[in-house]
Amino acid sequence: MFLRAIFSLVIMCVPLPGMTLEYYIAQSGNDQFDGLSMGKTQLGTNGPFLTLGRAQQAIRDLKKNGQLDQPVTIHIQTGNYVLQKPLEFDLRDSGFEGRQITWKAEGGAVVISGGIALQNCAKDQDNPLIWSCATSSLPLDKIKYKNNSRKQGSAPGFELFINQKPLHLSRWPNTDWGHIKTPLAEKTTFDTFEQLPQLSVLSEAQVHIFAGNDWFDEYTPVSSIDSNLNQISLAKNTTYPLASGRRFYLENIQSLLDAPGEWFYDRLGNKISFIPLDNLAPKDIIISAQKNILSLNGANYITLKNLTFQYSTDVAIIIDKSNHVVIDGVEISNIGSRAIEAKNSNDIKVTNSLIHDTGEGGILLSGGDRNSLEASNNVVHNCHIHNFGRIILTYTPAIEVAGVGTSVTHNLVEQAPGTGILIHGNDHLIEKNEIHHVCEQASDCGGIYSGREWTYRGNIIRNNSIHDLFGYGLKNINIATNTIVYGKSDGVRGVYLDDFLSGFTVTGNLFNNAGAMSIQMAGGRDNIIENNVIKTDSYAIWADNRPATTEVKKRFAQAIQNTAWIKKYPKLSNPITNQDWPEGNSLQRNIIITSKPGGLSLRYSLPKQNNIIANNLTWSTTGQFSVDYNILDGLAKRGGAPWQEWLSQGFETGSSYADPCVTITANKVSFCQQSPIKQIGFQPIPADIGLLK
């Protein structure tokens, strides 16, 4: 009987061809076990591993011994797995085609954490609002602040999280911003509108500042503060010259610790002090400690499924030169930088995932070959990304794509200070995404943004819903009366084709109050803007003229020598009448409904030759519709021209002014039976935009 039991056990544990080899990890496990079953056997040798690292070694042993002849699944049981160092996957951890390595959560939440839980915490005797935690036994000074072009200073290299929520370094003012009154030195010294507090011990102080505009923020160390003169001197130059009225706040000064949600690290006193959010008693007190949680370098055919990643100081999952990686059903939060960054990698799929509370954005995928136009086949699908860009506010998008051939489909992007989706490269598909309430702290910002290239061609922005974009920017400044007014920005766009961007297709999208300009085409060539529904109280389409830079023209000249490019983008061979004019664009079959008083909703600065504006349907709920136009090759120019006057110029043809009889509900658009949309050949917009349930 005993021998029969032994034989049965061996049969169960030895993998057979065509089957999946199963390993198990549990917090009740032991790294001396073989990891081949969830339950411990009477023999005491069979049972789950305790650590992720031990399971990783088991995979490496299989490969080393030539035994990886089937798929492998590592079942990770519910629990909090705290890393002492980042997990690092390379070729030794890779699967093969048909033999994928899958790391999978089971039984509940599996949290893979790069954090350190603080103990020894208590209320201060002198100030009962403040809690302090002793840190003398922790290697906190080894966690370095990530200095780069936008983050300069000596703030702590980690963040503090209480009850799963990020706290902010002690700051002034506690909410909103301070404002530059007068620049006293071009990039280093200024006085302020607001009265500065009396401050001391500024050795680690820094400012978070929009120095000269509303679209570029950075952190810069402080040299000195004179509270009597209301002057601040910076230890390093800002990127842009300082300008009156622009925003900043001071942070990382111990005496500024005075409001719920703030914290300070006292290096000399070996303690972290904080005031809990909403004065709630702290339960989980965690600092981010590991730079990354997981890295894949030259690792292929790996799947991560249903896992939760938290508490890294930089990118949570960093991927380089890796292929055929699936990240499905994960949650990533409380991260210092991006959630996922994949470079030089192909067939990376991020699907059905939740990403939030990241410091510098969501997902970056870069792959393919721009010379040959070979696609990366990277994918971001059905992900919910929100509250990103906590630390760097602008140009830290939810999704950034580069290279060639990434698909971004059915995602929900919302609640963020800066750009929603950022595009570099060629042949990307941005389809059926919902984007709203982004650019909340920025101007000159786009829900979907790309720019400054004639060679970013083949990109398609199709069937997306972009709505409720308001932006934030300087409206008025009066030094004499000591007043500054910030508010809704006139520089936020739904789709922003910036600075001579060319070769994009923007079709079948639904824009509903999508910023000051629903679509801006800024001097580009060969763009197609067709079959969109635009409801706005501002500009629907703004197409302007701006000459491309010498460097952009140089890259274009190189591109047209590439036979692969000419074959893929035949318009590159078309003759150019004027390199400084936007040519080859098509604006057709768009439905435009404006509620703006006076109805000024379109602005065209284009040559009539080589551009098509036709078969559009316009309507104003105020009874007036007007157009700004500058026909570059016709010497005709007028601001606020009535619709019929614009049509009389003969540029736009086949278009009409009529009520489209449209209803917009969430991400769906419908038309009444008598709607005139058939007259312009309008095609229905799909109803399945946004997250898939």
Side-chain angles (χ1 to χ4, degrees):
M1 188 74 178
F2 179 74
L3 291 176
R4 182 180 300 172
I6 293 293
F7 179 75
S8 299
L9 180 62
V10 169
I11 291 296
M12 288 167 52
C13 295
V14 173
L16 299 175
M19 297 178 63
T20 298
L21 176 60
E22 317 279 349
Y23 283 113
Y24 298 86
I25 303 172
Q27 296 196 318
S28 61
N30 189 317
D31 281 350
Q32 301 305 311
F33 293 163
D34 58 14
L36 292 172
S37 71
M38 186 55 235
K40 180 180 176 182
T41 66
Q42 292 181 348
L43 298 180
T45 59
N46 193 19
F49 295 136
L50 174 62
T51 65
L52 304 171
R54 178 63 185 89
Q56 179 186 24
Q57 187 58 51
I59 302 298
R60 291 182 173 184
D61 290 343
L62 279 177
K63 294 190 69 176
K64 183 178 179 180
N65 296 326
Q67 296 176 333
L68 185 59
D69 53 5
Q70 63 213 98
V72 178
T73 298
I74 301 95
H75 303 271
I76 310 171
Q77 305 305 305
T78 186
N80 191 25
Y81 295 81
V82 179
L83 302 179
Q84 302 305 310
K85 62 179 182 178
L87 282 169
E88 297 178 346
F89 288 174
D90 57 31
L91 186 61
R92 295 170 293 175
D93 306 291
S94 298
F96 302 98
E97 185 174 5
R99 289 171 283 168
Q100 193 90 357
I101 308 296
T102 299
W103 297 74
K104 180 181 180 182
E106 286 191 354
V110 171
V111 178
I112 303 176
S113 172
I116 296 175
L118 300 184
Q119 311 297 330
N120 304 320
C121 301
K123 287 186 177 181
D124 275 7
Q125 294 181 351
D126 297 332
N127 187 341
L129 293 178
I130 296 178
W131 288 68
S132 293
C133 306
T135 62
S136 56
S137 61
L138 301 176
L140 300 189
D141 286 338
K142 293 182 180 179
I143 307 172
K144 300 300 183 183
Y145 185 64
K146 180 186 175 183
N147 277 275
N148 57 34
S149 61
R150 296 182 70 177
K151 291 174 63 178
Q152 296 287 324
S154 54
F158 53 87
E159 294 183 88
L160 178 67
F161 302 86
I162 307 295
N163 302 340
Q164 302 285 311
K165 300 293 184 182
L167 270 64
H168 199 291
L169 283 170
S170 56
R171 55 167 285 177
W172 176 91
N174 290 328
T175 59
D176 206 1
W177 301 80
H179 301 88
I180 299 169
K181 187 172 186 178
T182 308
L184 304 175
E186 185 184 32
K187 294 185 176 183
T188 58
T189 308
F190 57 93
D191 61 8
T192 66
F193 277 95
E194 297 83 4
Q195 177 61 53
L196 293 172
Q198 294 292 327
L199 299 169
S200 60
V201 190
L202 303 176
S203 58
E204 296 180 342
Q206 59 188 28
V207 294
H208 184 193
I209 189 168
F210 285 84
N213 51 57
D214 287 316
W215 49 266
F216 186 90
D217 63 310
E218 60 190 317
Y219 292 80
T220 303
V222 170
S223 175
S224 65
I225 297 176
D226 188 325
S227 301
N228 296 320
L229 295 176
N230 266 5
Q231 290 184 8
I232 298 175
S233 293
L234 306 178
K236 293 182 179 292
N237 288 345
T238 55
T239 301
Y240 292 92
L242 300 162
S244 295
R246 298 302 175 182
R247 296 171 279 162
F248 76 94
Y249 60 74
L250 292 163
E251 70 171 13
N252 201 38
I253 302 171
Q254 188 167 17
S255 60
L256 296 180
L257 180 59
D258 59 3
E262 294 184 352
W263 70 285
F264 182 79
Y265 172 38
D266 182 354
R267 299 177 192 270
L268 296 178
N270 287 311
K271 66 177 181 179
I272 289 174
S273 299
F274 62 90
I275 302 177
L277 283 164
D278 302 319
N279 292 317
L280 296 176
K283 294 179 181 178
D284 298 318
I285 307 173
I286 297 175
I287 61 167
S288 52
Q290 302 301 330
K291 181 179 179 182
N292 312 114
I293 298 174
L294 172 64
S295 68
L296 293 86
N297 193 336
N300 307 309
Y301 293 101
I302 291 175
T303 294
L304 308 171
K305 190 170 182 62
N306 300 337
L307 302 168
T308 297
F309 298 87
Q310 293 183 326
Y311 307 125
S312 68
T313 64
D314 201 345
V315 179
I317 300 175
I318 189 163
I319 302 170
D320 188 31
K321 298 182 180 67
S322 300
N323 304 302
H324 310 293
V325 175
V326 176
I327 301 173
D328 180 62
V330 305
E331 179 176 357
I332 305 176
S333 65
N334 293 338
I335 302 301
S337 184
R338 286 190 180 99
I340 300 167
E341 181 177 289
K343 295 182 177 180
N344 311 303
S345 299
N346 298 321
D347 197 30
I348 308 297
K349 293 179 169 49
V350 184
T351 58
N352 309 309
S353 294
L354 173 62
I355 294 171
H356 59 96
D357 292 294
T358 64
E360 298 182 24
I363 301 167
L364 165 65
L365 298 184
S366 176
D369 186 324
R370 287 199 71 214
N371 183 55
S372 66
L373 296 175
E374 181 180 357
S376 67
N377 297 316
N378 293 329
V379 171
V380 182
H381 175 74
N382 204 42
C383 295
H384 184 188
I385 308 174
H386 66 90
N387 295 95
F388 51 94
R390 284 187 299 104
I391 299 172
I392 298 293
L393 306 183
T394 59
Y395 293 102
T396 52
I399 301 168
E400 183 172 357
V401 296
V404 183
T406 293
S407 295
V408 178
T409 56
H410 283 292
N411 302 287
L412 171 58
V413 173
E414 60 173 330
Q415 309 299 334
T419 298
I421 297 176
L422 181 60
I423 303 168
H424 312 277
N426 300 70
D427 300 339
H428 302 299
L429 174 63
I430 314 298
E431 182 173 43
K432 295 186 178 180
N433 304 283
E434 179 183 3
I435 303 170
H436 68 89
H437 291 93
V438 298
C439 299
E440 291 282 86
Q441 283 287 333
S443 184
D444 199 32
C445 180
I448 300 175
Y449 177 92
S450 187
R452 302 184 178 180
E453 268 297 334
W454 276 0
T455 67
Y456 285 179
R457 292 184 175 247
N459 296 293
I460 299 173
I461 300 172
R462 181 172 65 200
N463 302 145
N464 302 280
S465 172
I466 306 173
H467 61 92
D468 296 305
L469 305 186
F470 305 105
Y472 187 73
L474 180 60
K475 307 295 289 185
N476 182 265
I477 177 173
N478 190 321
I479 294 177
T481 60
N482 212 52
T483 57
I484 320 101
V485 178
Y486 272 79
K488 180 180 175 181
S489 170
D490 59 1
V492 172
R493 291 83 160 168
V495 169
Y496 193 177
L497 310 181
D498 196 14
D499 284 344
F500 27 86
L501 187 71
S502 300
F504 270 59
T505 296
V506 181
T507 183
N509 300 284
L510 173 58
F511 298 89
N512 191 359
N513 290 320
M517 304 168 213
S518 296
I519 303 172
Q520 181 173 12
M521 187 184 73
R525 313 179 67 84
D526 302 326
N527 293 302
I528 297 171
I529 299 173
E530 297 180 355
N531 210 83
N532 301 286
V533 174
I534 305 171
K535 182 181 179 182
T536 181
D537 61 1
S538 189
Y539 281 97
I541 300 174
W542 180 303
D544 65 41
N545 173 49
R546 58 186 75 183
T549 65
T550 300
E551 185 60 32
V552 165
K553 293 175 181 177
K554 179 180 177 181
R555 288 195 294 271
F556 179 79
Q558 293 170 344
I560 62 176
Q561 303 303 314
N562 186 323
T563 55
W565 281 61
I566 295 296
K567 182 178 180 180
K568 188 70 177 287
Y569 314 125
K571 285 188 176 182
L572 289 174
S573 299
N574 290 350
I576 295 175
T577 304
N578 188 323
Q579 282 199 327
D580 292 334
W581 285 354
E583 298 179 349
N585 301 292
S586 174
L587 292 80
Q588 300 192 71
R589 298 189 307 281
N590 299 291
I591 297 172
I592 298 162
I593 308 109
T594 180
S595 59
K596 186 176 182 180
L600 183 56
S601 192
L602 298 170
R603 184 168 188 171
Y604 298 134
S605 181
L606 302 167
K608 184 176 180 181
Q609 183 179 1
N610 297 329
N611 288 292
I612 299 172
I613 305 176
N615 303 312
N616 298 296
L617 182 62
T618 63
W619 181 248
S620 172
T621 60
T622 67
Q624 294 176 294
F625 196 96
S626 54
V627 183
D628 289 338
Y629 65 85
N630 180 11
I631 304 175
L632 300 175
D633 54 355
L635 302 179
K637 183 177 182 180
R638 173 80 185 275
W643 173 248
Q644 290 300 326
E645 178 187 319
W646 158 245
L647 290 184
S648 71
Q649 296 296 320
F651 194 154
E652 182 161 0
T653 60
S655 297
S656 60
Y657 176 78
D659 186 352
C661 195
V662 61
T663 300
I664 299 172
T665 305
N667 296 327
K668 295 184 173 71
V669 58
S670 60
F671 299 91
C672 67
Q673 189 172 3
Q674 65 270 28
S675 173
I677 60 171
K678 291 182 180 179
Q679 299 173 17
I680 64 169
F682 184 84
Q683 299 299 310
I685 293 176
D688 61 339
I689 296 172
L691 286 175
L692 299 173
K693 305 300 183 184

